[in-house]
Amino acid sequence: MRVTVVSRSGREIVKGGVELPGSATVADLQEAIHKRTKKFYPSRQRLTLPLPPGSKERPVVLNYKKRLEDYCDGNQETITVVFKDLGPQVSYRTLFFFEYLGPLVLYPVFYYFPVYQFFGYKGKRVIHPVQTYALYYWCFHYFKRIMETFFVHRFSHATSPLLNVFRNCAYYWTFGCYIAYYVNHPLYTPVSDLQMKIGFAFGLICQVSNLYCHLLLKNLRSPDGSGGYQIPRGFLFNIVTCANYTTEIYQWLGFNIATQTIAGYIFLVVATLIMTNWALAKHRRLKKLFDGKDGRPKYPRRWLILPPFL
Ligand SMILES: NC(=O)c1ccc[n+]([C@@H]2O[C@H](COP(=O)([O-])OP(=O)(O)OC[C@H]3O[C@@H](n4cnc5c(N)ncnc54)[C@H](OP(=O)(O)O)[C@@H]3O)[C@@H](O)[C@H]2O)c1
């Protein structure tokens, strides 16, 4: 089979095309393109079928597991595919590891080191118990996230654009320093003992629930990440689509009840907005996938992320 590989403007990416056996898969084609171009390794490539001129439809993205002949319209001898360079990629695990490593390492710097001297506070710093517990809570949270990244999550996409590492690290690292600065500040005023205990206890319950939600999500896919999207069931997923985000939001609420800083509450609001946006998209996707037609199950009625409001 002769495969012609063109860019979206119609320029040939591989001069003279690629010759492949009739049984070749899209993954074989990606390997062949990589061999010829050297630069574009498979996860950098997005291959689609060409659209008729002027068409406003979305192009069909070629699935790397499928055979090329599945995309041939009658003619099994030749096919044209449209190539897009997705730019340098990193694995999802690398992306998550670096974004979580920042807060895990930077937060303790504000607790253990005389950082505040650089900001003009020369007196002796008295450390309140809540600041120590906050350090443990924070580090447990990010350590848990790194462990989940390597041992729990089964990602459907192998890679993410390299630029996302810088964007996500900027978000997590900056907020980490911002919150750490205020919670560990020499002029920090602790909340009452009871409020601190309620906040941390509630937050910890939510962190454990969040881990359980991630284990339930993990079991929806096989170890190689295949299985697509399924209807999450069990525990809080029986009432809310994104129970993992719900527990994540509430565990930050627990942290903020215990530590009570404006910086912490700003992070809570921003994180809630981001996760709500994602939850909307995930809910819509599941409703579309499980529409109850042609033998497909119907997605049950559920809250999106924050019952009883949303
Ligand atoms: N504080 C913050 O700002 C913030 C923001 C975002 C996330 N988080 C935390 O980080 C965690 C991970 O975030 P995330 O956005 O990666 O979570 P996510 O997409 O909801 O899910 C985690 C894993 O489960 C898979 N999954 C989700 N729904 C599925 C379904 N219906 N069927 C099969 N597999 C499914 C996902 O697969 P895919 O690879 O296909 O997505 C992913 O591998 C969150 O749960 C939350 O605790 C925190």
Side-chain angles (χ1 to χ4, degrees):
M1 178 188 292
R2 171 146 298 274
V3 188
T4 307
V5 187
V6 293
S7 69
R8 284 179 298 171
S9 60
R11 184 176 55 87
E12 219 182 0
I13 298 291
V14 181
K15 291 275 171 284
V18 181
E19 194 65 50
L20 287 169
S23 59
T25 61
V26 174
D28 294 331
L29 170 61
Q30 289 179 318
E31 282 299 341
I33 295 173
H34 182 207
K35 227 178 196 167
R36 295 280 296 275
T37 59
K38 302 283 184 267
K39 185 175 166 191
F40 305 122
Y41 44 87
S43 59
R44 258 185 98 146
Q45 303 173 24
R46 180 177 181 264
L47 300 177
T48 54
L49 291 179
L51 286 172
S55 169
K56 290 265 181 287
E57 279 183 35
R58 281 175 166 221
V60 174
V61 180
L62 272 55
N63 180 336
Y64 74 98
K65 286 183 192 157
K66 285 197 170 178
R67 284 166 172 240
L68 278 170
E69 60 186 18
D70 295 338
Y71 295 103
C72 292
D73 204 9
N75 180 359
Q76 306 280 329
E77 299 301 313
T78 61
I79 183 172
T80 299
V81 299
V82 179
F83 167 95
K84 184 183 173 209
D85 175 20
L86 296 173
Q89 302 284 304
V90 290
S91 80
Y92 258 91
R93 291 205 161 86
T94 308
L95 169 72
F96 276 31
F97 174 70
F98 280 107
E99 63 186 47
Y100 300 155
L101 184 67
L104 181 63
V105 171
L106 294 171
Y107 190 101
V109 170
F110 288 81
Y111 180 88
Y112 285 112
F113 295 98
V115 188
Y116 296 93
Q117 289 184 4
F118 296 108
F119 294 100
Y121 298 95
K122 298 289 178 212
K124 196 174 172 331
R125 190 173 145 236
V126 178
I127 296 179
H128 303 284
V130 63
Q131 293 173 310
T132 305
Y133 296 136
L135 171 84
Y136 297 154
Y137 185 100
W138 181 280
C139 291
F140 172 70
H141 177 76
Y142 282 102
F143 178 73
K144 165 183 160 294
R145 283 222 214 168
I146 290 178
M147 291 297 110
E148 286 173 340
T149 299
F150 288 104
F151 303 112
V152 179
H153 295 320
R154 287 174 176 170
F155 301 105
S156 56
H157 302 287
T159 62
S160 162
L162 174 66
L163 279 179
N164 287 355
V165 176
F166 299 103
R167 186 199 62 189
N168 293 14
C169 286
Y171 169 74
Y172 277 106
W173 296 31
T174 311
F175 262 121
C177 290
Y178 181 45
I179 297 168
Y181 176 84
Y182 284 104
V183 176
N184 295 295
H185 200 281
L187 301 179
Y188 173 79
T189 313
V191 297
S192 73
D193 200 48
L194 179 67
Q195 184 174 335
M196 175 188 81
K197 284 178 180 155
I198 291 173
F200 282 137
F202 174 67
L204 271 179
I205 292 168
C206 294
Q207 285 216 50
V208 175
S209 307
N210 180 263
L211 170 64
Y212 186 54
C213 288
H214 287 148
L215 291 171
L216 289 174
L217 286 177
K218 170 195 176 181
N219 293 331
L220 297 176
R221 290 208 176 124
S222 44
D224 64 355
S226 62
Y229 290 95
Q230 308 296 328
I231 301 178
R233 292 184 201 276
F235 189 45
L236 298 172
F237 284 113
N238 287 340
I239 51 168
V240 48
T241 296
C242 289
N244 54 326
Y245 292 163
T246 312
T247 47
E248 172 80 17
I249 291 167
Y250 282 133
Q251 72 80 22
W252 280 126
L253 179 67
F255 177 84
N256 280 309
I257 291 171
T259 54
Q260 199 160 284
T261 61
I262 290 176
Y265 276 108
I266 291 176
F267 179 59
L268 173 64
V269 171
V270 174
T272 303
L273 289 175
I274 293 173
M275 283 187 268
T276 302
N277 212 8
W278 292 351
L280 275 166
K282 283 170 196 279
H283 190 81
R284 259 189 237 123
R285 179 172 58 203
L286 288 173
K287 275 182 79 167
K288 200 170 158 196
L289 276 173
F290 301 102
D291 54 7
K293 293 178 190 156
D294 304 324
R296 287 183 291 270
K298 188 158 173 55
Y299 192 66
R301 250 181 91 83
R302 278 175 191 173
W303 300 102
L304 260 75
I305 182 166
L306 286 176
F309 308 108
L310 190 64

